[in-house]
Amino acid sequence: MEELPPKIPTGMQPDPKDVSFDLALALSSVVSVRTEIPDDAFTAGSLGTVRRGHGVVIAEGGLILTIGYLIIEAASIWMLDANGRAIPGDVVGYDQETGFGLIRALEPAGLTPLPIGQSGDLSVGEKVIFAGNGGRTQALKSRVVSIREFAGYWEYLLDQAIFTSPPHPFWGGGALIGADGTLLGIGSLFVQDSATPSEPLDGNMVVPIDILEPIIKDLMTSGRSQKPKRPWLGMFSAEATGQVLVAGMWDGGPAEAAGLEIGDLVMEVDGTPITGMADMLRHIWALGEAGVEVPLIIFRDRGIKEIRVPSASREDFYKTPRLH
């Protein structure tokens, strides 16, 4: 029997009397998501072969928005609605750039969409609700503590990520619900620096809903954004005092094949000194589309070395999701 997520303490749950919308109806739009991934999938070792989180119904017909890492290379998808009904689903699309994933419920009867809001209208200090599947027992009164750039160690960058605190204990794919009862973002991570990069404060990083609109039609028609694919190195990075270290690499990825090593200090991209992880990523992506060669100057063993990495499209390494 699978372990249930911990309940939110009663005093931290939202009270229907304190909101201007139908809280129960809004929370009923959040479903649980469980996916199974083949053992030989590219992401199986890093993200696991069984993944659990949440999704949010955003349109009639059972269209569900979630965080993409739950559905990458999924061989099967099952969801539970607010009444505990098990519903099979298929992957509609996944976008590496934003981190969003779309699922279609194959038995959509009874699924109520949550209206999409405007995350750009959010302000620091604003009260919000971070909700998982399970009604009020999985809904948390929270607050926006910062809105800022976020660079992820897996070659991921958001210009305006939303950070909330206190953190939800089961955050992946959860709904960020605003004071007007609309969906403002999708939960992605637990972080310990939600207020500022240098100020310890446990919280969640949320992907803002505004970046969905430019890509949703592409995801629904072709399964992915039609924007040019960014060059991917298959490198995990760590940043400290503006310096970027190679912290790991995907097995069989471009960085490993080119000879990068864990502990290498990345100093330049194509002759330009870098000042941090976000700066490094922007310089790499500015070189062109996936497949472009990325010249890096690295510091290793007290010496300077140039390594030219033939980039790739990350999606080319993934298994195609299995559909019903």
Side-chain angles (χ1 to χ4, degrees):
M1 188 171 181
E2 295 185 1
E3 184 178 351
L4 295 175
K7 292 184 177 181
I8 302 297
T10 302
M12 300 179 71
Q13 297 174 15
D15 190 324
K17 300 191 298 292
D18 295 335
V19 300
S20 60
F21 56 92
D22 187 331
L23 179 63
L25 183 63
L27 297 180
S28 73
S29 300
V30 186
V31 299
S32 72
V33 176
R34 183 186 188 277
T35 61
E36 294 186 1
I37 316 298
D39 291 339
D40 61 346
F42 188 66
T43 58
S46 59
L47 297 177
T49 58
V50 177
R51 303 172 192 168
R52 301 178 182 86
H54 313 282
V56 187
V57 184
I58 60 169
E60 298 291 345
L63 186 65
I64 292 167
L65 181 65
T66 187
I67 197 68
Y69 57 71
L70 294 177
I71 65 169
I72 297 172
E73 303 185 285
S76 71
I77 300 176
W78 283 90
M79 293 162 284
L80 292 177
D81 68 8
N83 297 315
R85 179 173 64 108
I87 307 169
D90 276 343
V91 173
V92 173
Y94 167 67
D95 181 55
Q96 185 65 50
E97 189 171 321
T98 61
F100 283 135
L102 283 177
I103 302 169
R104 177 74 68 185
L106 299 181
E107 298 172 8
L111 295 178
T112 303
L114 184 64
I116 292 177
Q118 297 288 327
S119 56
D121 293 339
L122 270 175
S123 300
V124 173
E126 193 166 332
K127 293 179 180 179
V128 289
I129 296 170
F130 195 122
N133 169 258
R136 287 181 61 199
T137 66
Q138 289 299 318
L140 173 72
K141 292 188 295 186
S142 194
R143 187 181 298 271
V144 177
V145 293
S146 66
I147 302 172
R148 66 177 194 275
E149 177 183 83
F150 172 81
Y153 65 85
W154 61 97
E155 298 180 63
Y156 177 73
L157 183 63
L158 291 175
D159 292 332
Q160 291 287 296
I162 302 166
F163 294 84
T164 62
S165 189
H168 195 286
F170 192 43
W171 55 87
L176 188 71
I177 301 174
D180 60 354
T182 63
L183 179 65
L184 300 180
I186 296 291
S188 178
L189 297 172
F190 167 80
V191 296
Q192 294 180 299
D193 59 352
S194 60
T196 70
S198 59
E199 181 181 347
L201 180 65
D202 289 351
N204 293 122
M205 190 279 279
V206 177
V207 182
I209 199 64
D210 287 357
I211 60 176
L212 175 65
E213 194 276 334
I215 62 168
I216 189 168
K217 288 183 180 179
D218 285 348
L219 294 185
M220 294 181 66
T221 56
S222 62
R224 60 187 62 188
S225 169
Q226 295 305 298
K227 294 170 63 176
K229 295 181 176 63
R230 288 172 169 173
W232 176 72
L233 305 189
M235 178 176 75
F236 299 133
S237 304
E239 180 180 338
T241 63
Q243 295 184 315
V244 179
L245 287 169
V246 177
M249 289 167 285
W250 286 96
D251 291 341
E256 182 186 65
L260 278 174
E261 297 179 2
I262 294 174
D264 286 346
L265 175 64
V266 183
M267 301 178 67
E268 297 180 6
V269 174
D270 194 31
T272 303
I274 61 169
T275 58
M277 194 186 304
D279 185 49
M280 178 187 73
L281 293 173
R282 289 193 173 100
H283 278 95
I284 291 172
W285 297 337
L287 294 176
E289 298 181 23
V292 69
E293 187 176 71
V294 179
L296 301 178
I297 298 296
I298 59 126
F299 182 80
R300 179 196 299 169
D301 297 331
R302 302 182 182 180
I304 302 296
K305 185 178 180 67
E306 181 181 24
I307 294 183
R308 307 181 76 86
V309 183
S311 68
S313 169
R314 185 190 320 237
E315 296 172 1
D316 291 343
F317 288 76
Y318 295 160
K319 284 183 173 292
T320 302
R322 187 180 305 161
L323 304 180
H324 286 80

